[in-house]
Amino acid sequence: MKWFQELGYQYIHGAIIAPEGENPERKDFKTVILEDRLRSALLRINSDIPNPIINNSVSEILNPNIPNLLNCNRAMHKLLTKGLKVTFSDGDQEIGKQLKLIDYENIENNDWLVVNQFEIQGEKRIRIPDVLVFVNGLPLGVIELKNPGDEKADIWSAYNQLQTYKENIPNLFQTNEVLVISDGIQARMGSLSANEKRFMRWR
């Protein structure tokens, strides 16, 4: 957490922004996107697009309605990198723009947040990933950590834990860009679809 804060991230414990927390940022435990942060970031980044258009776009981002997790993740990756195409009228003229989800030109214009103990309701039980990395309210990174002193819990048990999360709480991974596993001694990173061989050593 200190490392992320040194990079400029805001750190919040998951219990504080939980639905029943001191400063709730989620309507329920199934919700993984922090809507208010997303909306305020989109309004800030896309000052050339009318507010009603941005507000309508938030609903589209929150509910992509794309079957199959990998297909959904691929579509959301396209939105993250290229933006969401929107159209609106300006007088008699119809204007087309790309609504930016992330400001790549001015990175300080984005909302950087790291959270631990973020409880998510799965089909059968609550799941608690170790660390989530948010940009503009979107969970882009999931970090799973294991205790180096526990011989039974090595780095690959962290990998297996992520596979369980993908099955139990797939909505967390719709906007995912990176998965990280570590046992305190070594660390590896991979994409949503990467198998063990494709989880590359963190250098």
Side-chain angles (χ1 to χ4, degrees):
M1 295 302 123
K2 288 180 180 178
W3 181 64
F4 274 104
Q5 286 176 292
E6 288 171 3
L7 290 171
Y9 283 75
Q10 179 188 11
Y11 160 63
I12 300 179
H13 191 280
I16 294 174
I17 59 173
E20 301 165 354
E22 297 174 25
N23 186 24
E25 294 193 33
R26 308 157 62 196
K27 61 183 180 181
D28 55 47
F29 284 102
K30 289 184 178 180
T31 301
V32 295
I33 293 177
L34 306 178
E35 183 176 346
D36 289 346
R37 288 178 184 264
L38 173 62
R39 189 185 308 277
S40 63
L42 295 183
L43 291 169
R44 183 171 63 251
I45 294 169
N46 300 280
S47 57
D48 56 341
I49 297 176
N51 289 7
I53 301 298
I54 294 176
N55 287 326
N56 288 339
S57 299
V58 169
S59 299
E60 189 173 340
I61 297 166
L62 293 175
N63 304 291
N65 199 24
I66 301 171
N68 184 283
L69 176 57
L70 289 180
N71 288 341
C72 184
N73 180 261
R74 190 175 292 115
M76 296 304 290
H77 173 78
K78 189 174 181 181
L79 294 186
L80 287 165
T81 54
K82 298 185 177 181
L84 173 65
K85 187 174 182 180
V86 297
T87 58
F88 55 91
S89 298
D90 185 6
D92 296 332
Q93 188 177 9
E94 187 172 272
I95 297 174
K97 293 266 188 181
Q98 293 297 121
L99 178 79
K100 293 185 289 185
L101 276 64
I102 296 176
D103 191 337
Y104 293 103
E105 297 173 3
N106 180 13
I107 63 169
E108 293 181 357
N109 211 19
N110 299 297
D111 181 298
W112 303 89
L113 174 68
V114 61
V115 180
N116 63 340
Q117 300 299 303
F118 189 94
E119 297 185 9
I120 304 168
Q121 179 64 57
E123 290 184 10
K124 297 180 179 179
R125 52 176 280 197
I126 291 278
R127 294 290 185 178
I128 312 174
D130 288 327
V131 180
L132 298 184
V133 182
F134 292 85
V135 180
N136 298 338
L138 301 168
L140 302 190
V142 180
I143 303 173
E144 191 65 20
L145 307 167
K146 293 301 176 184
N147 186 346
D150 187 348
E151 294 180 3
K152 296 180 181 178
D154 63 4
I155 193 169
W156 298 115
S157 62
Y159 171 86
N160 291 332
Q161 187 73 63
L162 290 177
Q163 308 318 303
T164 299
Y165 290 159
K166 284 194 284 186
E167 291 180 10
N168 293 171
I169 45 174
N171 55 322
L172 173 63
F173 300 94
Q174 290 178 346
T175 59
N176 182 262
E177 293 293 313
V178 65
L179 301 174
V180 180
I181 55 177
S182 178
D183 61 3
I185 297 170
Q186 61 173 321
R188 290 177 177 265
M189 60 191 296
S191 69
L192 184 63
S193 60
N195 59 22
E196 291 101 319
K197 292 181 179 178
R198 299 299 297 171
F199 260 71
M200 310 309 289
R201 195 153 55 91
W202 186 296
R203 299 183 183 275

